[in-house]
């Protein structure tokens, strides 16, 4: 959000819009959405999602020079004040600076928008354990990296371990951060008479839930460090004080990791009850190694190791996690409902316990026109193949059913979603089977329709369970 003074010296080609109407906090401010032409991969997805059709794809030769000048000016503009935006709202969240940018992923990748959104939501408090897979490759193609930092030089912390132990790797982050925070609190309490009980109380009473809370916690920590000065007995507190600001641990990976190779560990850490958040970017195949079938591959899709079409139902990893009852579980698809996707990430973050968010991610391995990746996501939801839902255990305390199904009853024929209509839409991974073995495709399609209808009935039944007897008594 920029004041007119910030705009002084802008190139003539620099465009901005009035932000006053968008938010009460932004009277007299301007906002800018600036594309870095030099880093654009030409996927065209931004032009397709822009609600006002304000973005176009001019030839690079025309756009490069003016847009690079615009970008260089844009980079000097101040970041918006995080305490004034509501990161759970699409409109607000898109004003926050992404701390994940210009990855080497395929043009139009379906995974990267979720990661970008996560960095906007959490800023520099984010700590990521990344499973091996596409996200560790485009996320860590060293010596460059798309993970970046804010104007204060702070950014998310990121590391990649092995394909088979990423969940445990992330749990380790959580356990050590919690232990360090506990130790810092012990040191703080022991030093109360020296640095003042006010600072101790300021940290202890701060829930660190909102951006304003976090900003206040950072100020308190700065005051604690200043109060420690160079006193030798307070040196340990000074060294540990940064851990008093809570961090958010997110464990990221693909379906090959989550559904198959890392599943034992994933199940284990979700069952630990610890405050770990998991984002599974479900491309329904092992994307990074060329599209091998995983337990997330849907019935009838052709993939490596399933050249005749997968003949088993897709594993319902969300349903399995829901059975614990105390895990926040959700299924999202940005191309179908972006508001739901972003609100879900914020809700998962806010939940005080483990969370699993499964995000539908279109992929070049699906054999689609990547410029239409978000349309294919919508088809997956419209035909009922992918559900949008949230299972929030907090609802149980109020006697409410934890499961909310966001997607509507299937309305698109499954056949149309899989193989398209009149040569439009559809995905080659399904079309291939329809072309090479029509009889088998028809058989699998009938089974897939049955899977979808059965799953819809199951989720409806789950969402209808009466939890009123479980309402926690009022304190
Ligand atoms: C134990 C082990 N097996 C296999 C591999 C090779 N490998 C690296 S990435 C990858 C595929 C990852 O697929 P997925 O988890 O679905 O993530 P995506 O690439 O789709 O994002 C495989 C098989 C490995 N690194 N370690």
């Amino acid at each position: 959000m920029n004041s007119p003074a910030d705009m002084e010296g802008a190139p003539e080609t620099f465009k901005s819009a009035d932000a006053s109407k968008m938010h009460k906090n932004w009277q007299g401010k301007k906002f800018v959405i600036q594309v870095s032409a030099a880093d654009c991969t030409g996927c065209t997805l931004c032009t397709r999602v822009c609600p006002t059709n304000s973005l176009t794809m001019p030839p690079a030769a025309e756009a490069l020079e003016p847009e690079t000048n615009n970008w260089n000016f844009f980079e000097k503009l101040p970041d918006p004040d995080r305490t004034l935006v509501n990161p759970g709202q699409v409109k607000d969240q898109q004003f926050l600076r992404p701390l994940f940018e210009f990855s080497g992923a395929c043009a139009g990748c379906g995974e990267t928008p979720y990661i970008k959104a996560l960095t906007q939501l959490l800023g520099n408090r984010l700590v990521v354990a990344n499973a091996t897979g596409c996200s560790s490759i485009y996320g860590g193609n060293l010596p460059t990296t798309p993970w970046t930092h804010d104007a204060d030089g702070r950014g998310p912390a990121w590391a990649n371990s092995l394909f088979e132990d990423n969940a445990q790797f992330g749990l380790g982050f959580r356990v050590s951060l919690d232990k360090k925070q506990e130790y810092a609190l012990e040191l703080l309490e022991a030093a109360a008479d020296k640095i003042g009980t006010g600072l101790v109380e300021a940290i202890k009473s701060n829930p660190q839930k909102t951006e304003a809370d976090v900003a206040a916690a950072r100020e308190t920590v700065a005051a604690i460090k200043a109060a420690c000065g160079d006193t030798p007995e307070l040196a340990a507190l000074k060294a540990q004080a940064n851990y008093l600001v809570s961090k958010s641990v997110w464990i990221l990976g693909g379906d090959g990791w989550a559904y198959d190779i890392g599943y034992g560990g994933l199940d284990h850490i979700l069952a630990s009850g610890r405050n770990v958040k998991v984002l599974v970017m479900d491309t329904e195949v092992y994307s990074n190694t060329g599209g091998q079938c995983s337990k997330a591959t849907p019935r009838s899709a052709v993939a490596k190791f399933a050249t005749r079409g997968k003949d088993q139902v897709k594993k319902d990893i969300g349903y399995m996690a829901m059975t614990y009852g105390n895990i926040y579980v959700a299924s999202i698809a940005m191309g179908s409902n972006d508001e739901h996707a972003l609100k879900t990430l914020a809700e998962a973050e806010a939940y005080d316990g483990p969370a699993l968010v499964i995000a539908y991610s279109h992929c070049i391995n699906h054999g689609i026109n990547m410029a239409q990746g978000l349309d294919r996501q919508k088809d997956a939801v419209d035909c009922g193949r992918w559900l949008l839902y949230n299972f929030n255990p907090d609802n149980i305390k109020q006697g409410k059913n934890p499961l909310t199904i966001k997607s509507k009853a299937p309305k698109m024929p499954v056949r149309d979603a899989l193989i398209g209509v009149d040569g439009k839409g559809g995905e080659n991974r399904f079309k291939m089977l329809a072309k090479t073995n029509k009889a088998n495709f028809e058989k699998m399609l009938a089974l897939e329709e049955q899977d979808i209808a059965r799953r819809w009935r199951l989720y409806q039944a789950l969402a209808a369970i009466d939890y009123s007897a479980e309402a926690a008594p009022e304190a």
Side-chain angles (χ1 to χ4, degrees), residues 445-462:
L445 176 65
L447 288 172
E448 173 75 345
E449 285 169 345
Q450 201 177 66
D451 295 340
I452 290 173
R454 186 182 294 157
R455 186 159 178 253
W456 178 254
R457 288 199 306 275
L458 171 69
Y459 275 67
Q460 291 297 315
L462 289 174

Side-chain angles (χ1 to χ4, degrees), residues 45-61:
L45 286 183
C46 63
T47 65
R48 297 177 79 90
V49 296
C50 177
T52 54
N53 290 326
S54 305
L55 296 169
T56 53
M57 295 293 297

Side-chain angles (χ1 to χ4, degrees), residues 111 132-135 163-164 254-257 283 285-289:
E111 295 188 356
T132 302
C134 284
S135 51
F163 196 33
E164 60 271 36
D255 50 281
W257 161 70
T283 57
V285 274
Y286 291 65
S287 297
N288 197 246
T289 39

Side-chain angles (χ1 to χ4, degrees), residues 195 199 219-231 234 237-238 241:
I195 63 163
L199 289 175
E219 274 178 29
T220 312
V221 166
I224 291 170
K225 286 177 22 185
C228 290
D230 292 325
T231 314
L234 298 176
L237 172 60
K238 194 174 178 182

